[in-house]
Structure formats: structure tokens, C-alpha cells
Amino acid sequence: MNIILVGLLLMIRPALSMMITHFKCRGGVYPRSSIERFPVPDDKVSWAVDYKEYKPRNHTAQSIHGKPWADPEIGDPEFKPNWNHLDKNVDRQSYTGQYKVVDNYPLNPIGRTGISGRGVLGRWGPNHAADPVVTRWKRLQSGEVEIDKNSNKPILQFVAIKRGDTGEWALPGGMVDPGEKVTTTAVREFREEAINSLVMSQGELKAWEAKFESFFSDGEEVYKGYVDDPRNTDNAWMETAAYNFHDDGGHVVGALNLHAGDDAVGATWVDATPDLKLYASHSSIVKEVLERRLNAFSQV
Ligand code: BGC
């Protein structure tokens, strides 16, 4: 099949489907606290289902109060959020569509989480992140693409970082700054967490940008939506936009020197396998990238 046709087919492939329920933000102890979430059985997640006994604890971490990236409390006369809109430069729109606001509190679009308030998240409602999935084919010494002996398929690798907070392997993503384009966030976070650009001089940074500018200008969107993140609450939740930056020939990102930086404590190339366990919803994002890449590989 010719390469343009493959490109077109990839473009019309629907993005990874939206999440319809959540698990990681339901049950257990809320992160960085000793607060137990109120139990939410599978059939009581939806707000549309009555759950009279539901009495979640209200929790907003002390640590976020007064932070420049955090909203004030609801009820503060100065705080007049424009829910479901771009609010000055804070994006309060959800990729899942219009969310409900009940008694001035935005409601998690997937449903109950067993805890109300904002927890450790800065924004009421959606908190936007962006994730880069930087990939290459694993190669043998000879330069040839390595084929997995069990599946008989080429092995895709992606850059993963070890999160400082949970110790889990994750995509090197991060929060979108107010007014920032999500694609810009994805690349900036990659530089900060996987390359440790925060310790680079201005000159080194310029050289890095010149070298990788075209590679990172061409990401393919693979997911935009809700994330089953352990920090989610009934009134605040994570959403992300994930982009795949793929180095098919292995010459561009092969030259990358990975060094964990910012809040990451490790950075490495990891083989993408369908049973991989990663932070939040990152494994479903990587699985989607793996499928797309393997399809494209077998069609060329
Ligand atoms: C992380 C992203 C992640 C998002 C949602 C952010 O803190 O940096 O990688 O997708 O949370 O879990």
C-alpha cells in the first residue's frame, strides 16, 4: 500500500475512545492524605443512579492554598469562574462535553469518586495536562528492526519516566499552563522531564530546539479526554491530550540523551507491550500508539 494512503488511513482512524468509567480514582486512600474514599460500587458511579447513603468526605489539600496555579475557594466573592468556557486564559472546557455544575460545584463527568472538594488538584472542574509519546523501533546492533520472537512483530519503544510522587512509570507529561497550546506543553514537559532541560544553559537549549524542532512539530494526536487519575474527586479531575512523536528511521530520537529532570526520578526507553502497567490511563494511550504504529509498519 502506498505511503500517502497509509497516512490518510491513519488520519481518519478515530481517536482512542473516551473513558466511560473510572477505577483508579475510586476506593482506597486519597493520595498524600489519610482520607479513605467513600465506597462507590460499579453500579453507583453514575450520578444518574440514586445513592442515598453517599456521604463523601470533603477534602482540599492545605498545600494548594494560595498557589499561583490553583483556584480560590468556591464562594470566594472574587472567584467568578466561567464554567464550560475558556475563562480568560484558563481552559474550563472539558473534552467530554458540557459538565454539570450543581450548587456552584462542577461535577465529575464520569461520576462519583468517593471524595468531594478538590483534593490536591489546583482547578475546580477539568485540570488539563498534555502527554508526549515519543517512539522508535527497537533495533539490533546491525541497525535492523528487532522482531519479537513470540508475536513475530517489530518491537516499539517509548520514552517513560519514573514519577517522583508515586514511583510508577509514566509518560513524561505535565500540566498545561494558562494560555499555553497543548502541543507546546507536551514538548516542554518532555524536555523538562526526560532531557532535564531545566539545567541546560540558554545556548544548549537553543541548540536542542534547532536540532529537534521539526521532529517535535509533527505530533499525531492519539487521545484527548478524561483520565482515570488517582487524584480525581467529585469536583475536580484530570484530562489530557496525548501526541505521538515517532522516529521511524531511528536517526532523530536515537540521538537523544535521556536524563530525568523536574519531578521525574528516572527516564528510559521502554518496550511497548500490550500488558504494560503505567500511571493513570497511560497504558491505554501507549496501547493505542502501539496498534497504530504496528498497523502502519505492516502496511508499508
Ligand atoms: C501528568 C500527565 C498525566 C496527567 C493525568 C499529569 O500530572 O503529568 O502525564 O496524563 O497528570 O494523569
Side-chain angles (χ1 to χ4, degrees):
M1 201 183 290
N2 95 22
I3 209 147
I4 299 173
L5 192 52
V6 173
L8 281 174
L9 280 174
L10 282 174
M11 266 170 10
I12 54 173
R13 185 190 162 103
L16 179 62
S17 51
M18 284 285 175
M19 203 150 291
I20 48 167
T21 191
H22 49 209
F23 302 97
K24 293 190 179 179
C25 61
R26 188 158 47 104
V29 174
Y30 187 81
R32 288 173 252 167
S33 84
S34 53
I35 299 171
E36 189 81 37
R37 290 177 188 262
F38 197 92
V40 182
D42 289 354
D43 61 343
K44 296 283 193 311
V45 173
S46 165
W47 296 111
V49 175
D50 249 12
Y51 188 9
K52 292 211 175 49
E53 305 77 26
Y54 187 59
K55 297 238 162 15
R57 285 265 305 271
N58 186 299
H59 171 56
T60 295
Q62 276 301 324
S63 57
I64 70 166
H65 287 300
K67 289 286 183 330
W69 42 263
D71 286 334
E73 284 306 295
I74 285 178
D76 179 330
E78 305 280 294
F79 184 46
K80 299 193 183 76
N82 194 359
W83 304 123
N84 282 302
H85 287 87
L86 187 62
D87 184 8
K88 304 201 183 74
N89 56 9
V90 176
D91 191 1
R92 300 196 189 276
Q93 300 164 100
S94 167
Y95 293 130
T96 66
Q98 292 263 327
Y99 52 87
K100 288 200 178 119
V101 180
V102 175
D103 298 331
N104 296 320
Y105 285 83
L107 272 199
N108 186 310
I110 300 296
R112 299 181 176 96
T113 65
I115 195 160
S116 62
R118 225 177 338 165
V120 292
L121 294 176
R123 304 274 172 212
W124 295 101
N127 286 251
H128 288 283
D131 284 293
V133 193
V134 175
T135 52
R136 69 176 185 192
W137 298 112
K138 191 173 190 176
R139 285 174 194 271
L140 300 165
Q141 286 279 323
S142 62
E144 264 178 72
V145 173
E146 187 174 337
I147 304 294
D148 180 85
K149 292 198 183 62
N150 295 321
S151 67
N152 215 17
K153 289 178 180 157
I155 303 173
L156 188 75
Q157 295 190 306
F158 70 101
V159 175
I161 53 113
K162 196 171 185 144
R163 286 181 70 104
D165 55 355
T166 65
E168 286 167 286
W169 287 95
L171 294 170
M175 307 302 293
V176 179
D177 287 339
E180 189 176 40
K181 265 175 66 183
V182 280
T183 44
T184 308
T185 313
V187 179
R188 174 178 58 71
E189 288 290 339
F190 181 80
R191 277 201 322 256
E192 290 179 2
E193 296 196 336
I195 310 291
N196 202 7
S197 65
L198 294 173
V199 301
M200 281 183 183
S201 67
Q202 277 304 316
E204 284 170 325
L205 202 57
K206 281 240 159 63
W208 193 91
E209 275 165 1
K211 197 158 169 192
F212 296 112
E213 193 186 15
S214 93
F215 179 71
F216 282 108
S217 66
D218 195 20
E220 180 183 319
E221 185 187 305
V222 279
Y223 182 67
K224 250 186 183 172
Y226 183 86
V227 181
D228 186 9
D229 186 290
R231 296 166 293 184
N232 293 351
T233 70
D234 287 358
N235 312 114
W237 60 91
M238 290 300 315
E239 299 200 2
T240 199
Y243 297 89
N244 179 208
F245 302 93
H246 179 64
D247 181 7
D248 210 52
H251 302 296
V252 192
V253 288
L256 279 178
N257 263 327
L258 300 177
H259 289 293
D262 202 16
D263 36 21
V265 291
T268 189
W269 287 99
V270 171
D271 294 357
T273 54
D275 53 357
L276 206 65
K277 301 249 178 321
L278 295 171
Y279 181 76
S281 315
H282 289 182
S283 33
S284 42
I285 294 172
V286 171
K287 243 177 266 165
E288 171 70 17
V289 171
L290 178 63
E291 260 173 48
R292 288 182 185 217
R293 288 297 150 207
L294 287 177
N295 268 341
F297 189 90
S298 55
Q299 278 157 353
V300 187

